[in-house]
Amino acid sequence: MTDIVLIGPPGVGKGTQALVLADRAGLTHLASGDLLRASIRDETVLGLLAKTYVDSGRLVPDELVVDMMVDRMLSAGDTLLDGFPRTVAQAEELEERLGRVRRRIDAAVLLTAPRLTLIRRIVGRRSCRACQAQYNTYFAPSRVEGICDACGGELVTRSDDNATTAQLRLEVYDNQTAPLVEHYRAAGVLREIDGTGDPDEVAGRIAASLSVAAAEPKVGPP
Ligand code: ADP
């Protein structure tokens, strides 16, 4: 069983890279933010509990997210975790639950980029309501503003992608998620990757670092 964690501040390109890596490595991509947004859209009990946190850019309480993610992991096989764990407490709980089924985190990939790049990537982000194609008004604009090049659908902005909430999400990352980096570094599974530049270039860096990671120690009980 292979389980890889992708960590990085909002806007660093985790979602884009997760799709490429999951495809190349044959992993199931589990994105906590996408799963929470789907629950909110479907008005499930979890969605109703999570909505105010997600809309305001604060973290959803650990126990809600841990249950949601671990349930999916256990039925998924090999996974790429995107957006989870996001706190040291979530990571410890995850290790404890995975340990029960003799599974552990094999590698934690940290993507980094300068703060101004992050803010532009977040605030400029648009996606097609119909086909989910991704655009960015600064880096990859659609030919006609607000309209999808691929299908002519309407381009929409996530409710938490405005400048104020983006700033708060970056602060939440610094305060609550950055300590996770040290957690995985201490466990010897951290791979730090420069997330700037072309998505293909970044994907190449990640792939190169993971072939090295295969020989390294693992997190969690033996
Ligand atoms: P980004 O990384 O671009 O900020 P995500 O799609 O990963 O966006 O997450 C969006 C929101 O979903 C977060 O701001 C938070 O409210 C919630 N969320 C996602 N993952 C977690 C998690 N592991 N723990 C708590 N809240 C989470």
Side-chain angles (χ1 to χ4, degrees):
M1 213 53 95
T2 303
D3 294 297
I4 295 177
V5 172
L6 200 50
I7 312 171
V12 80
K14 285 193 304 290
T16 306
Q17 293 303 327
L19 291 179
V20 177
L21 178 59
D23 186 48
R24 282 191 188 173
L27 307 170
T28 300
H29 175 210
L30 295 178
S32 52
D34 291 349
L35 294 170
L36 289 168
R37 280 186 291 277
S39 303
I40 293 170
R41 234 179 359 255
D42 297 343
E43 299 186 342
T44 65
V45 173
L46 171 64
L48 294 173
L49 293 170
K51 183 172 168 46
T52 50
Y53 297 97
V54 173
D55 283 349
S56 66
R58 286 172 300 141
L59 294 188
V60 173
D62 287 345
E63 61 278 11
L64 295 179
V65 181
V66 172
D67 284 345
M68 173 185 85
M69 293 300 284
V70 172
D71 286 351
R72 306 239 171 194
M73 286 182 80
L74 295 182
S75 53
D78 297 341
T79 63
L80 176 62
L81 303 180
D82 167 5
F84 172 85
R86 227 179 180 90
T87 62
V88 172
Q90 289 181 8
E92 287 172 348
E93 181 66 21
L94 174 64
E95 279 149 31
E96 146 77 21
R97 302 243 203 137
L98 289 183
R100 289 184 211 159
V101 292
R102 309 193 73 72
R103 247 164 106 162
R104 52 188 143 191
I105 299 302
D106 297 275
V109 175
L110 168 68
L111 285 176
T112 58
R115 191 63 39 135
L116 182 61
T117 307
L118 298 177
I119 292 188
R120 285 189 173 152
R121 283 186 180 168
I122 298 172
V123 174
R125 181 152 64 183
R126 302 286 180 274
S127 66
C128 175
R129 195 191 286 284
C131 75
Q132 271 73 54
Q134 298 284 321
Y135 299 89
N136 188 290
T137 56
Y138 296 100
F139 302 109
S142 58
R143 281 193 298 271
V144 180
E145 199 188 321
I147 306 287
C148 178
D149 293 349
C151 77
E154 183 195 359
L155 298 189
V156 291
T157 307
R158 252 167 60 175
S159 58
D160 58 348
D161 275 351
N162 57 75
T164 314
T165 309
Q167 188 59 45
L168 180 78
R169 281 157 57 208
L170 287 165
E171 282 166 26
V172 167
Y173 177 82
D174 289 341
N175 294 331
Q176 295 182 259
T177 307
L180 202 53
V181 171
E182 294 316 313
H183 176 83
Y184 285 122
R185 198 195 308 279
V189 296
L190 188 73
R191 298 287 168 273
E192 280 185 76
I193 308 290
D194 176 5
T196 57
D198 196 72
D200 288 345
E201 246 174 85
V202 180
R205 289 179 204 135
I206 296 177
S209 88
L210 284 177
S211 51
V212 175
E216 297 287 331
K218 296 179 166 198
V219 178

